[in-house]
Structure formats: C-alpha cells, structure tokens
Amino acid sequence: MIGAIVLAAGQSRRMGTQKLLLPLGGQPVIVRVVDEVLRSSVRPVLVVVGDEGQKIVAALSGRRVTPIENADPHGDMLGSVRCGLAALPEACEAALVVLGDQPGVAADVIERLCEAFRAQARGIVVPACRGRRGHPLLVASRYRQEVLTHYEGIGLRGLLAAHPDDVFEVEVDSPKAFDDLDTPEDYQRILRAEGDL
C-alpha cells in the first residue's frame, strides 16, 4: 500500500492570496491536484492543511481524503511532510509526497512512479525531465524515521543527497509536470498555457 501526502499548508506569501483556491480549468487548484491523485491507485490520501485549512477542506468536500492539520503552518515544507508521515498508516510501504500547488501532476505519472518503486527495488523514486528532478516524490517507509528526525533546513533534498544510490528517476515527457504556482506571474503563465485567458 502506498499512501499520498498532499502538501496544502503553505502561506502563499508570494501570491498574495491563497493560491490553492485559485480557479484553474473551472476548479480550484487543490481540487485539480487531489482529483489526479484520486484517479491513481494510491490510498489513503492525506491532505496537510494550515491556517486556511477549513477553506481547503470545504473545497475538497465529498472526496475521500483525510485532512491533517499542521500545527506549525508557518514552518517549512518539511514540517508538513512530517505531519503527513506521522499520520500515514503503518501498513503503507511508501509515501507519495505531492505538492498542492503543482497543477500539472497527472495520475499516469503517479502510476509510473509506483510501478518503478515496485519493479526497481529502490527506496526513492522521482520524476525527471531533461535532467531536472521534480515532484511528486515517492519515499519508502524505511526512511520515515530518518525524515522525521533529520534534514532541518534542507528538506527532502537532503534525503536524496544522503542516499544517491537508492534514487531511481522516472523520465517524463513534459517539464509542465513540474510547474508550480508561487507568484501571480506563474498563475498567468499557467492560465495562458491552459487556454483560460
């Protein structure tokens, strides 16, 4: 069993408004991301929320997800990852870490990561395009305690750097899969690419 941790506790400081609730393709960004995760075989799906968690949970109403509150949403992304890892059932053999602000995430890429995890016997599986690594990131449960206790100020990059021989890259076709939504300019660019402008 592979569980998903969707990170949705960020402050959206650079955007100036809660970016995960911005409309894209007729629905909020977080709904689009979560729906792609739910289209995959990954279960359970945990959504780590922060200050505006109620709004995000309301947007996801009716979907089979479990909200997890990050008690320190003003911290870094690693804090949210740890909240999700601590809440994942022990039966999960791995965790898929998904960025809530990455609307290009696709169920078929998630499935390819899961297949590679099972076929390659590697503990860390990442998508890559033209030499660039991205998210979502799949991490074996044997690294749970390590992530819970290490890599302050570095995040999961530290895990990859510590275990380079246990990393497997899954090549994906489009760099759009790695687009994240941080600034108003990012949002306008993605809207143009989607034909929403």
Side-chain angles (χ1 to χ4, degrees):
M1 181 167 71
I2 296 174
I5 301 168
V6 181
L7 306 181
Q11 300 297 300
S12 300
R13 290 186 191 95
R14 284 185 282 170
M15 186 65 73
T17 188
Q18 178 47 261
K19 60 186 176 181
L20 302 185
L21 297 175
L22 290 171
L24 186 61
Q27 57 190 356
V29 168
I30 189 61
V31 171
R32 177 167 167 155
V33 170
V34 167
D35 281 352
E36 284 300 309
V37 177
L38 290 170
R39 282 183 55 224
S40 78
S41 61
V42 175
R43 295 294 185 277
V45 177
L46 311 183
V47 181
V48 182
V49 297
D51 286 344
E52 297 189 78
Q54 289 182 333
K55 293 178 183 177
I56 289 170
V57 170
L60 295 170
S61 177
R63 289 165 175 82
R64 296 192 66 179
V65 301
T66 302
I68 305 294
E69 185 177 356
N70 181 347
D72 181 24
H74 301 280
D76 60 12
M77 191 168 72
L78 181 62
S80 287
V81 173
R82 287 172 170 173
C83 287
L85 283 176
L88 266 187
E90 290 291 331
C92 286
E93 59 188 319
L96 180 81
V97 180
V98 182
L99 303 183
D101 67 348
Q102 199 168 49
V105 67
D108 64 320
V109 171
I110 292 172
E111 290 300 337
R112 289 178 58 202
L113 295 174
C114 294
E115 288 165 11
F117 173 74
R118 294 187 174 108
Q120 300 298 327
R122 303 277 186 91
I124 306 165
V125 182
V126 299
C129 182
R130 301 170 194 168
R132 178 186 167 205
R133 290 175 172 175
H135 280 79
L137 180 74
L138 201 156
V139 180
S141 60
R142 66 175 175 267
Y143 289 122
R144 184 191 304 233
Q145 197 58 34
E146 188 171 329
V147 174
L148 289 173
T149 56
H150 291 70
Y151 309 121
E152 295 290 340
I154 306 170
L156 293 177
R157 287 192 306 274
L159 179 71
L160 273 67
H163 304 280
D165 294 337
D166 206 22
V167 178
F168 183 80
E169 293 184 356
V170 172
E171 193 68 24
V172 298
D173 297 330
S174 172
K176 287 182 183 177
F178 300 159
D179 279 347
D180 55 8
L181 202 57
D182 289 324
T183 66
E185 292 74 23
D186 292 338
Y187 182 48
Q188 294 300 313
R189 175 174 46 78
I190 292 173
L191 283 175
R192 282 193 297 273
E194 295 267 323
D196 282 5
L197 278 182

